[in-house]
Amino acid sequence: DAMVIQNPRYQVTQFGKPVTLSCSQTLNHNVMYWYQQKSSQAPKLLFHYYDKDFNNEADTPDNFQSRRPNTSFCFLDIRSPGLGDAAMYLCATSRDGLAGEYEQYFGPGTRLTVT
Amino acid sequence: RKEVEQDPGPFNVPEGATVAFNCTYSNSASQSFFWYRQDCRKEPKLLMSVYSSGNEDGRFTAQLNRASQYISLLIRDSKLSDSATYLCVVNIYSGGYNKLIFGAGTRLAVHP
């Protein structure tokens, strides 16, 4: 059974047209992450939620926003997608990893194309 | 300098070969280390954690050298199904919380 679910798996949007990617989890983990991964590059952390506390990476563009209405769901909003935002977007969850020692479980990703 | 550096490969090896991947990290305060596996166009999945004393899981052996800030992964008796990208992952403490930093990965291709 899927534990971290991402929808849609593939998303095509037009330049400048807002898009929302969703992630849900059945693990009841309190930490949720959004990563951006471009071809042949490392996953890059955009932000994460520790429970309801939002933590934004310093180099995450303002164009990227996130919402976490409850433990199970987390959304990534891209307000005005540019061609450079085309990538795989990965959602991950983990338990209370205060020492970073807990495994992160990834969803299958959403592949975003910007035309 | 990148926080986590890996040889991108690709490593092309025949079935049954032994192959080793190396990884260096820049933050000496890092405490947790992992190897993840990522298949083409799929999500990363945890292969194994890396412990200070080194650890083994079947054909896979991970080693950590804190003094040199170096991590390795050894795969023995390679199988075709081992073909994938192997990501070296290190935790850092930054901005008041822990986070994982991923290397760009080393690509392995095992051929018959």
Side-chain angles (χ1 to χ4, degrees):
Chain A
D1 290 334
M3 297 181 288
V4 183
I5 302 161
Q6 290 189 245
N7 286 302
R9 295 291 309 278
Y10 301 90
Q11 176 73 57
V12 180
T13 191
Q14 292 177 336
F15 182 94
K17 186 174 180 181
V19 65
T20 294
L21 311 182
S22 74
C23 177
S24 63
Q25 53 135 337
T26 60
L27 297 163
N28 203 33
H29 285 169
N30 57 331
V31 192
M32 293 188 77
Y33 309 82
W34 279 105
Y35 291 86
Q36 178 193 66
Q37 187 177 26
K38 297 185 176 180
S39 181
S40 301
Q41 295 184 22
K44 178 181 179 298
L45 182 63
L46 296 173
F47 24 59
H48 79 279
Y49 278 92
Y50 189 99
D51 293 319
K52 292 185 177 181
D53 292 335
F54 176 71
N55 296 280
N56 197 36
E57 292 300 298
D59 57 355
T60 298
D62 292 339
N63 198 26
F64 292 85
Q65 304 286 320
S66 185
R67 296 169 283 136
R68 189 179 186 185
N70 53 52
T71 300
S72 300
F73 285 87
C74 195
F75 300 96
L76 169 61
D77 300 307
I78 308 177
R79 292 191 296 188
S80 182
L83 297 179
D85 296 328
M88 173 79 91
Y89 290 87
L90 295 160
C91 174
T93 73
S94 72
R95 289 188 289 156
D96 187 346
L98 289 178
E101 72 276 18
Y102 291 115
E103 175 183 357
Q104 290 190 14
Y105 294 81
F106 283 83
T110 294
R111 187 165 296 279
L112 178 69
T113 301
V114 182
T115 60
Chain B
R1 181 184 175 187
K2 291 181 181 178
E3 291 172 297
V4 180
E5 294 204 64
Q6 295 182 250
D7 182 340
F11 284 61
N12 293 298
V13 302
E15 277 186 286
T18 295
V19 62
F21 305 140
N22 303 320
C23 168
T24 58
Y25 61 94
S26 61
N27 191 320
S28 60
S30 294
Q31 294 294 319
S32 302
F33 310 91
F34 310 90
W35 284 100
Y36 275 71
R37 171 191 168 132
Q38 187 170 25
D39 291 289
C40 187
R41 302 178 77 83
K42 296 288 184 68
E43 73 274 23
K45 292 185 178 178
L46 180 68
L47 178 66
M48 58 197 304
S49 301
V50 185
Y51 302 119
S52 296
S53 55
N55 49 299
E56 187 174 308
D57 183 2
R59 297 180 294 108
F60 299 85
T61 300
Q63 295 283 345
L64 169 64
N65 184 323
R66 286 187 186 273
S68 301
Q69 294 178 206
Y70 169 98
I71 307 160
S72 66
L73 176 68
L74 183 76
I75 306 176
R76 291 181 299 277
D77 189 22
S78 298
K79 311 291 184 189
L80 294 176
S81 57
D82 294 334
S83 297
T85 297
Y86 291 83
L87 303 170
C88 177
V89 185
V90 174
N91 97 295
I92 64 169
Y93 185 79
S94 172
Y97 60 90
N98 279 279
K99 62 181 181 180
L100 297 182
I101 303 297
F102 287 77
T106 298
R107 195 154 58 90
L108 172 65
V110 182
H111 57 82

